[in-house]
Amino acid sequence: MTLGAGLPLTIVICSNRPDSLPGAVARTIAAMGPRDRLLVIADMPAQRLPALPTDSSLPLSRIRVICNEGNQGLAHSRNKAMKEATTQHLVFLDDDIVPGTEALTRIRDALTAGAHVTGTRITAHLQGRRRPWFLTSGQLHYLGSHAPARPASIWGGSFAVDVEHARLLGVGFDERLGRMGSSLASAEDTTFVREMTAHGATATVLHDAEVHHLIPSHRLTLSYLLRRAFWQGRSEARRNDARRGIGKEWNRNRSGDGARPVRAALALLYTGSVLLGVCRESVTRSRTSTVGAETGSDR
């Protein structure tokens, strides 16, 4: 018997994609333990909610679905999940993650051992497609996946939180960050982890426990990856970390596999897109401040 055997978890799926929810629910139910509960935060009106699969091993009393009135964003949904969780510990899983019982067992063990935040390795599953030349392991983080040869870190696709400790510290998800609608904003997860540890929380990375991230074909395009890098820059600016963020992205982008000239060229291309995002966010913020000041002066 493992250290955390029997520890009940609230497993949370936050999604604004009706087409993805049924598969996500089915995959999650297959990996859940006998005392776990499933909480779905659907970032959509109730009329858009699809029919969700059921399983005889999971009574309806252990499944709860909450629909937002409209698209409120991923950070908002995560905060709502922490308020609605009925267990001390919850696990966030993206709607395109394939979890496994082994990964959840390792998460239970880490939480039982005292971790307040813990995350697994997330491995990109290209679903039989070849990785394009413009996607080295240095850009896998734009797909929410860890590079195979590098240490993992705690990312939002698969991580767990001691909710009671987060409440005690007064830490939640920054709702200026994270996906909302069609934007590719991010960093609500890493900012949350950073704030937790800054307040003394214990974080544990499960480097050798993995889940799979299903990558659709439209994300394996140069246009998507550059747009994702652009929004990474906007997100770094929103959390007032642009300088360090640009340096971090440069180091990640040039660390990939493949020929050195290709890696260098891609690092310039993607980091340039990050820089454009930082500039765009800075201009947007400046315009908003100017309008706010003008409005205030007219009162």
Side-chain angles (χ1 to χ4, degrees):
M1 183 175 293
T2 64
L3 180 65
L7 181 73
L9 302 172
T10 296
I11 302 181
V12 181
I13 301 172
C14 299
S15 177
N16 66 353
R17 301 185 294 185
D19 293 345
S20 299
L21 263 178
V25 169
R27 291 189 296 269
T28 302
I29 288 177
M32 289 171 61
R35 299 181 63 200
D36 294 341
R37 295 178 176 273
L38 175 62
L39 174 61
V40 176
I41 306 292
D43 203 21
M44 62 190 77
Q47 58 266 30
R48 292 189 62 205
L49 186 70
L52 300 179
T54 58
D55 189 290
S56 58
S57 65
L58 188 66
L60 291 178
S61 60
R62 290 168 53 201
I63 303 175
R64 186 180 180 195
V65 180
I66 300 175
C67 288
N68 296 335
E69 293 301 319
N71 192 290
Q72 302 294 319
L74 180 56
H76 176 87
S77 293
R78 292 196 195 277
N79 283 330
K80 180 174 286 189
M82 292 215 299
K83 292 177 183 177
E84 300 292 339
T86 56
T87 60
Q88 179 179 347
H89 302 97
L90 63 77
V91 179
F92 286 109
L93 294 176
D94 280 358
D95 63 11
D96 47 13
I97 290 292
V98 182
T101 54
E102 175 61 25
L104 290 179
T105 295
R106 295 292 307 282
I107 286 173
R108 289 181 219 277
D109 289 347
L111 294 170
T112 303
H116 301 120
V117 187
T118 187
T120 67
R121 178 175 291 279
I122 303 173
T123 300
H125 190 316
L126 304 187
Q127 304 184 73
R129 303 178 184 91
R130 295 185 62 181
R131 199 170 76 189
W133 65 269
F134 49 79
L135 175 61
T136 74
S137 58
Q139 286 80 50
L140 285 175
H141 64 290
Y142 294 137
L143 297 176
S145 305
H146 294 104
R150 293 175 63 84
S153 53
I154 300 175
W155 288 350
S158 172
F159 81 115
V161 180
D162 181 330
V163 180
E164 291 184 5
H165 199 75
R167 290 171 182 159
L168 180 66
L169 297 178
V171 177
F173 292 90
D174 187 338
E175 296 190 13
R176 298 172 303 165
L177 303 171
R179 304 290 173 90
M180 179 179 291
S182 61
S183 84
L184 297 178
S186 60
E188 88 293 338
D189 49 355
T190 52
T191 302
F192 174 86
V193 175
R194 185 183 298 178
E195 291 186 9
M196 286 284 287
T197 55
H199 285 78
T202 300
T204 301
V205 184
L206 304 174
H207 296 283
D208 56 350
E210 71 171 5
V211 299
H212 291 97
H213 188 183
L214 300 175
I215 309 298
S217 59
H218 78 269
R219 293 187 182 180
L220 298 177
T221 61
L222 185 58
S223 61
Y224 173 87
L225 292 167
L226 289 175
R227 183 166 169 256
R228 174 65 183 81
F230 173 82
W231 275 100
Q232 183 70 36
R234 296 197 68 169
S235 300
E236 297 293 354
R238 286 180 183 180
R239 64 176 177 177
N240 300 314
D241 204 17
R243 183 185 296 272
R244 184 168 65 168
I246 292 169
K248 175 192 65 179
E249 292 302 304
W250 168 253
N251 290 329
R252 280 176 169 174
N253 282 316
R254 67 175 181 167
S255 70
D257 48 13
R260 188 171 182 177
V262 175
R263 286 189 285 118
L266 290 177
L268 286 170
L269 179 64
Y270 285 108
T271 309
S273 191
V274 172
L275 183 58
L276 284 174
V278 169
C279 293
R280 173 61 181 274
E281 188 63 29
S282 298
V283 170
T284 300
R285 183 181 299 180
S286 177
R287 288 176 177 172
T288 302
S289 298
T290 300
V291 171
E294 291 175 350
T295 302
S297 65
D298 291 338
R299 292 177 179 174

